[in-house]
Amino acid sequence: MTRALALALVLLATPALAKPPRLTLFIAVDALGTDLLLRSRPQLKAGLAQLIDRGAFYPDVRYQQSLVATAPGHSVLSTGAYPWRTGVVGNRVMNRTTGKEEPVFWDATHPALDAPASVEDVSPEPMLAETLADHLRLFTAGRGKAIAFSGKARAAIALAGRLGQAFWFNEQVGRLVTGTAYMKELPAWLRAFNDRRLPDAAFGTEWTLALPTKEYLGEDDRPFEAPSYGMGRTFPHSLKGGATSPGPPSYAAFASSPFANDLLLQAAKAAIAGEGLGKDDVPDLLAVSFSATDLVYHQYGPYSWEMQDALVRLDRQLADLVAAAEKAAGGRQNLLVVLSSDHGGAALPEEWIAAGINATRLKPSALKQGLAQELQTRFGAPVLLGLVDRDVFLNGKVLAEKKLDPAVVRRVAADWLGRQPAVALVATQEDLESGQELSGFLPALRRGHYPGRSGDVTFLLRPYVVFTEYDTGTTHGEPYAYDNQVPLVLYGKGVKPGLYRMQVHASDVAPTAAMLMDMGAPASAEGEPRVESVVQGR
């Protein structure tokens, strides 16, 4: 056999690489736990239902870090890596120099653009890992566009990374803004979009039910819901925020309603048109994080009529968004859709209690006060700097002045926390930064720990403990199924439809999306592509 013939046979036997999708639509639904989605499934008839029925549906996706929240969750989805690689350990971090909490994406050198100066998430500088958007920009030598929208800055920034563009809703000005780390002037298409003043137009409207009342499970008026901004516990909900004209109070009410998701939908469509996304064979990425679902969840809980209605409306909004993306890409054969969530969420603890479950509320301030008193008594000095989420921070200056051994103080703090009824597990900095093999929940604590940003001591709460200062509403954060189990849906080019019941990891999302986009995974990704739902030989 001649060398030329052998080469020809090899080429014939090797499937040609397919063209990547012209447009990838990356959707994150904030606070969409699997349990919530499956319970709401009968009410879904439009876009979300279409993605599930015609795509690859994974109902059992798990986050493997300890703290599940917006910034770390979106960072895992976009990078394929956990906080021990990204540095995004929570929504907020402790500034050990000032002793104050700061947003995780705060950057004093790059303030927000066209928004009042404040300490807020503004920049991707603290992100220490490459995102899917970053990798696409590098892969295409800057020709592929990557744009991210969200109601929250920390979600948009986590999706856009350093090389994409991030836009988010600012409740002070009622517009979509960005940070000067991304650009010095908003693009013309976004300026034109903001000039439509859609949040102002919503001022005189009310959030009403999208379906007949018989379609909703449970009751509308429930104790322990926590409506803010004058929205009330029952439908219809006012969007005025208690104000007489549009402004920050009404913008905050707007952000806590499905109308905010409509704003993101319309902004995404404006970006498709303004940036020409999906128009050519150079792949583009459009990421949208729908944040209103999370704000509704925190106030009303996952079993509320409000949450049910928000998902019904999101179902319809997604149908509109997917249709616009398909049209822009020239058909479904040129479009990839990836949908997941950053976390689930606990029920209102009183609902669990009424059902006979041993649930409780635990106030962070009470835990902090008890720990501070214990350490003051043991060491005769105010050695506790603060408590951020489930991380304890010691005051390094006081430790040095009193010549106290930090490791000893950390162990005393850990021992006290371990004796508290609501605490399930405690680990010190030494435990998590040692090279020893860990088991149980300790690996989750290690994956959520980044030296220098995480605390001296980290703890987990027991199941059904809701860690909040408030006597109403609810929250999330623990490594239990109600908080860390989310869905994944893949749809469009290269996807093998079906129901995939195996348990997979949230870190698998970015490598899978990258494979379907016909490029390599983000640099720090530790997950694996889900090859069982990828069409072979495409």
Side-chain angles (χ1 to χ4, degrees), residues 132 135 336 509-522 538:
L132 199 64
H135 195 73
L336 170 65
V509 174
T512 303
M515 173 177 284
L516 288 164
M517 295 168 73
D518 286 307
M519 65 181 190
R538 56 198 178 86

Side-chain angles (χ1 to χ4, degrees), residues 65 67 72 76 81-89 447-450 526:
Q65 85 273 23
L67 178 69
V76 173
Y82 289 104
W84 64 353
R85 298 189 183 194
T86 67
V88 184
V89 296
R447 291 188 195 96
H449 179 88
Y450 192 88
E526 54 191 304

Side-chain angles (χ1 to χ4, degrees), residues 13 49 58 140 160 188 202 207 235 246 265 271 350 411 474 536:
Y58 292 85
T140 61
W207 175 13
F235 282 94
L265 163 64
E350 292 74 21
R411 180 50 58 192
T474 187
Q536 301 301 310

Side-chain angles (χ1 to χ4, degrees), residues 381-392:
V383 298
L384 181 64
L385 182 63
L387 184 69
V388 181
D389 289 322
R390 284 77 171 161
D391 273 3
V392 174

Side-chain angles (χ1 to χ4, degrees), residues 86-314:
T86 67
V88 184
V89 296
N91 290 339
R92 303 182 68 82
V93 294
M94 175 65 75
N95 185 321
R96 293 176 185 267
T97 301
T98 65
K100 296 180 180 179
E101 292 183 39
E102 293 176 351
V104 67
F105 291 123
W106 164 239
D107 177 3
T109 62
H110 294 98
L113 181 65
D114 294 341
S118 63
V119 178
E120 59 184 332
D121 294 297
V122 289
S123 166
E125 184 61 28
M127 170 71 86
L128 304 180
E130 181 184 69
T131 67
L132 199 64
D134 292 330
H135 195 73
L136 175 68
R137 294 283 292 162
L138 294 172
F139 181 76
T140 61
R143 296 177 300 154
K145 298 175 181 179
I147 298 175
F149 291 100
S150 179
K152 300 178 182 178
R154 57 184 176 268
I157 293 168
L159 293 176
R162 294 169 179 267
L163 305 182
Q165 297 178 10
F167 305 103
W168 56 88
F169 184 66
N170 183 286
E171 294 178 10
Q172 292 300 305
V173 298
R175 292 171 176 256
L176 290 171
V177 303
T178 188
T180 53
Y182 287 105
M183 59 190 70
K184 305 306 178 186
E185 183 181 8
L186 292 178
W189 59 264
L190 186 57
R191 294 199 303 272
F193 176 79
N194 277 333
D195 288 344
R196 293 166 60 186
R197 303 300 300 178
L198 296 181
D200 287 12
F203 179 78
T205 63
E206 292 182 324
W207 175 13
T208 59
L209 290 170
L211 299 175
T213 57
K214 65 181 181 180
E215 299 293 330
Y216 297 84
L217 298 175
E219 300 295 331
D220 184 17
D221 189 7
R222 306 180 311 147
F224 301 104
E225 292 183 345
S228 301
Y229 321 116
M231 296 178 73
R233 283 210 316 244
T234 59
F235 282 94
H237 296 289
S238 170
L239 299 184
K240 291 185 177 181
T244 57
S245 61
S250 69
Y251 299 149
F254 176 88
S256 297
S257 77
F259 290 78
N261 286 342
D262 278 323
L263 180 76
L264 296 177
L265 163 64
Q266 298 304 325
K269 291 166 70 174
I272 288 173
E275 296 286 348
L277 301 181
K279 268 196 169 183
D280 55 36
D281 288 336
V282 179
D284 296 320
L285 173 67
L286 175 60
V288 185
S289 173
F290 290 99
S291 302
T293 43
D294 179 74
L295 300 180
V296 171
Y297 154 78
H298 278 287
Q299 295 184 66
Y300 297 99
Y303 294 95
S304 64
W305 279 23
E306 286 77 8
M307 199 65 185
Q308 294 173 57
D309 195 74
L311 289 187
V312 168
R313 291 177 178 274
L314 178 67

